[in-house]
Coordinates of all heavy atoms in Angstrom, one line a residue:
Q48 N -31.5 36.9 -4.7 CA -32.8 36.7 -4.2 C -32.9 36.1 -2.8 O -33.7 36.5 -2.0 CB -33.5 35.7 -5.2 CG -33.8 36.3 -6.6 CD -34.4 35.3 -7.5 OE1 -33.8 34.9 -8.5 NE2 -35.6 34.9 -7.3
R49 N -32.0 35.1 -2.6 CA -32.0 34.4 -1.3 C -31.5 35.3 -0.2 O -32.1 35.4 0.9 CB -31.1 33.2 -1.4 CG -31.0 32.3 -0.1 CD -29.9 31.4 -0.3 NE -28.6 32.1 -0.4 CZ -27.5 31.6 -1.1 NH1 -27.6 30.6 -1.8 NH2 -26.4 32.3 -1.1
D50 N -30.4 36.0 -0.4 CA -29.7 36.7 0.7 C -30.2 38.1 0.9 O -30.0 38.7 2.0 CB -28.2 36.7 0.4 CG -27.6 35.3 0.4 OD1 -28.3 34.4 1.0 OD2 -26.6 35.0 -0.2
L51 N -30.7 38.8 -0.2 CA -31.1 40.1 -0.1 C -32.6 40.3 -0.1 O -33.2 41.4 0.0 CB -30.5 41.0 -1.3 CG -29.0 41.0 -1.3 CD1 -28.6 41.9 -2.5 CD2 -28.4 41.6 0.0
G52 N -33.3 39.2 -0.2 CA -34.8 39.2 -0.1 C -35.4 39.8 -1.4 O -36.5 40.5 -1.2
L53 N -34.9 39.6 -2.5 CA -35.4 40.3 -3.8 C -36.0 39.3 -4.7 O -35.8 38.1 -4.6 CB -34.2 40.9 -4.5 CG -33.3 41.9 -3.8 CD1 -32.1 42.3 -4.6 CD2 -34.1 43.2 -3.4
T54 N -36.9 39.8 -5.5 CA -37.4 38.9 -6.6 C -36.4 38.9 -7.7 O -35.4 39.7 -7.7 CB -38.7 39.5 -7.2 OG1 -38.4 40.8 -7.8 CG2 -39.8 39.7 -6.1
H55 N -36.6 38.0 -8.7 CA -35.7 38.0 -9.8 C -35.5 39.3 -10.5 O -34.4 39.8 -10.8 CB -36.2 36.9 -10.8 CG -35.3 36.7 -12.0 ND1 -35.4 37.5 -13.2 CD2 -34.2 35.9 -12.3 CE1 -34.5 37.1 -14.1 NE2 -33.8 36.1 -13.5
D56 N -36.6 40.0 -10.9 CA -36.6 41.2 -11.6 C -36.0 42.3 -10.7 O -35.3 43.2 -11.2 CB -38.0 41.7 -12.0 CG -38.5 40.8 -13.2 OD1 -37.7 40.1 -13.8 OD2 -39.7 40.9 -13.5
Q57 N -36.3 42.3 -9.4 CA -35.7 43.3 -8.5 C -34.2 43.2 -8.4 O -33.5 44.2 -8.4 CB -36.3 43.1 -7.1 CG -37.7 43.6 -6.9 CD -38.3 43.3 -5.6 OE1 -37.9 42.4 -4.9 NE2 -39.3 44.1 -5.2
A58 N -33.7 41.9 -8.5 CA -32.2 41.7 -8.4 C -31.6 42.3 -9.7 O -30.6 43.0 -9.6 CB -31.9 40.2 -8.3
L59 N -32.2 42.1 -10.8 CA -31.6 42.6 -12.1 C -31.7 44.1 -12.1 O -30.8 44.8 -12.6 CB -32.4 42.0 -13.3 CG -32.2 40.5 -13.5 CD1 -33.0 40.1 -14.7 CD2 -30.7 40.2 -13.7
A60 N -32.8 44.7 -11.6 CA -33.0 46.1 -11.6 C -32.0 46.7 -10.7 O -31.4 47.8 -11.0 CB -34.4 46.5 -11.2
R61 N -31.7 46.1 -9.6 CA -30.7 46.6 -8.6 C -29.3 46.6 -9.2 O -28.6 47.6 -9.1 CB -30.7 45.8 -7.3 CG -29.6 46.3 -6.4 CD -29.9 45.9 -4.9 NE -28.8 46.3 -4.1 CZ -28.9 46.4 -2.8 NH1 -30.0 46.1 -2.2 NH2 -27.8 46.8 -2.1
L62 N -29.0 45.6 -9.9 CA -27.7 45.5 -10.6 C -27.5 46.7 -11.6 O -26.4 47.3 -11.7 CB -27.5 44.2 -11.3 CG -27.2 43.0 -10.4 CD1 -27.3 41.7 -11.2 CD2 -25.9 43.1 -9.7
A63 N -28.6 46.9 -12.3 CA -28.5 48.0 -13.3 C -28.4 49.4 -12.6 O -27.6 50.2 -13.0 CB -29.8 48.0 -14.2
S64 N -29.1 49.6 -11.5 CA -29.1 50.9 -10.9 C -27.8 51.1 -10.1 O -27.2 52.2 -10.0 CB -30.3 51.0 -9.9 OG -30.2 50.1 -8.8
E65 N -27.2 50.0 -9.6 CA -25.9 50.1 -9.0 C -24.8 50.5 -10.0 O -23.9 51.3 -9.7 CB -25.5 48.7 -8.3 CG -26.3 48.4 -7.1 CD -26.1 47.0 -6.5 OE1 -25.5 46.2 -7.3 OE2 -26.5 46.7 -5.4
D66 N -24.9 49.9 -11.2 CA -23.9 50.2 -12.2 C -24.0 51.7 -12.6 O -23.0 52.4 -12.7 CB -24.2 49.3 -13.4 CG -23.2 49.6 -14.5 OD1 -22.0 49.4 -14.3 OD2 -23.6 50.0 -15.6
A67 N -25.3 52.2 -12.7 CA -25.5 53.6 -13.1 C -25.0 54.5 -12.0 O -24.4 55.5 -12.3 CB -27.0 53.8 -13.4
A68 N -25.3 54.1 -10.7 CA -24.9 55.0 -9.6 C -23.3 55.1 -9.5 O -22.8 56.1 -9.2 CB -25.4 54.4 -8.3
T69 N -22.7 54.0 -9.8 CA -21.2 53.9 -9.7 C -20.6 54.9 -10.8 O -19.7 55.6 -10.5 CB -20.7 52.5 -9.9 OG1 -21.2 51.7 -8.9 CG2 -19.2 52.5 -10.0
K70 N -21.2 54.9 -12.0 CA -20.7 55.7 -13.0 C -20.9 57.2 -12.7 O -20.0 58.0 -12.9 CB -21.3 55.3 -14.4 CG -20.9 54.0 -14.9 CD -21.6 53.6 -16.1 CE -21.1 52.2 -16.6 NZ -21.9 51.7 -17.8
V71 N -22.1 57.5 -12.2 CA -22.3 58.9 -11.8 C -21.4 59.3 -10.7 O -20.8 60.4 -10.7 CB -23.8 59.0 -11.3 CG1 -24.0 60.4 -10.6 CG2 -24.8 58.9 -12.5
G72 N -21.2 58.5 -9.7 CA -20.3 58.8 -8.6 C -18.9 59.0 -9.0 O -18.2 59.9 -8.6
Q73 N -18.4 58.2 -9.9 CA -17.0 58.3 -10.4 C -16.8 59.6 -11.2 O -15.8 60.3 -11.1 CB -16.7 57.1 -11.3 CG -16.5 55.8 -10.5 CD -16.3 54.6 -11.5 OE1 -16.7 54.6 -12.6 NE2 -15.7 53.6 -10.9
S74 N -17.8 60.0 -11.9 CA -17.8 61.2 -12.7 C -17.7 62.4 -11.7 O -16.9 63.4 -11.9 CB -19.0 61.4 -13.6 OG -19.0 62.6 -14.3
L75 N -18.5 62.4 -10.7 CA -18.6 63.5 -9.7 C -17.3 63.6 -8.9 O -16.8 64.7 -8.6 CB -19.8 63.4 -8.8 CG -21.1 63.7 -9.4 CD1 -22.3 63.3 -8.6 CD2 -21.2 65.2 -9.7
E76 N -16.7 62.4 -8.6 CA -15.5 62.4 -7.8 C -14.4 63.1 -8.6 O -13.6 63.9 -8.1 CB -15.0 61.0 -7.5 CG -13.7 60.9 -6.8 CD -13.3 59.4 -6.5 OE1 -14.0 58.5 -7.0 OE2 -12.4 59.2 -5.7
A77 N -14.3 62.9 -9.9 CA -13.3 63.5 -10.8 C -13.5 65.0 -10.9 O -12.6 65.8 -10.9 CB -13.3 62.9 -12.1
S78 N -14.8 65.5 -10.9 CA -15.0 66.9 -11.1 C -15.1 67.7 -9.9 O -14.8 68.9 -9.9 CB -16.4 67.1 -11.9 OG -17.5 66.6 -11.1
L79 N -15.4 67.1 -8.7 CA -15.5 67.9 -7.5 C -14.2 68.1 -6.7 O -14.1 69.0 -5.9 CB -16.5 67.2 -6.5 CG -18.0 67.1 -7.0 CD1 -18.8 66.3 -6.1 CD2 -18.6 68.5 -7.1
G80 N -13.2 67.3 -7.0 CA -11.9 67.5 -6.3 C -12.0 67.4 -4.8 O -12.6 66.4 -4.3
D81 N -11.5 68.4 -4.1 CA -11.5 68.4 -2.7 C -12.9 68.6 -2.1 O -13.2 68.4 -0.9 CB -10.6 69.5 -2.1 CG -9.2 69.2 -2.2 OD1 -8.8 68.0 -2.2 OD2 -8.3 70.1 -2.3
G82 N -13.9 68.9 -2.9 CA -15.3 69.0 -2.5 C -16.0 67.7 -2.4 O -17.1 67.6 -1.8

Side-chain angles (χ1 to χ4, degrees):
Q48 292 178 249
R49 180 193 66 215
D50 298 336
L51 299 180
L53 304 173
T54 66
H55 180 271
D56 287 348
Q57 286 172 336
L59 293 179
R61 175 158 179 166
L62 288 169
S64 65
E65 288 173 348
D66 181 62
T69 297
K70 290 175 180 176
V71 168
Q73 289 174 337
S74 175
L75 286 168
E76 180 179 8
S78 64
L79 292 175
D81 285 333

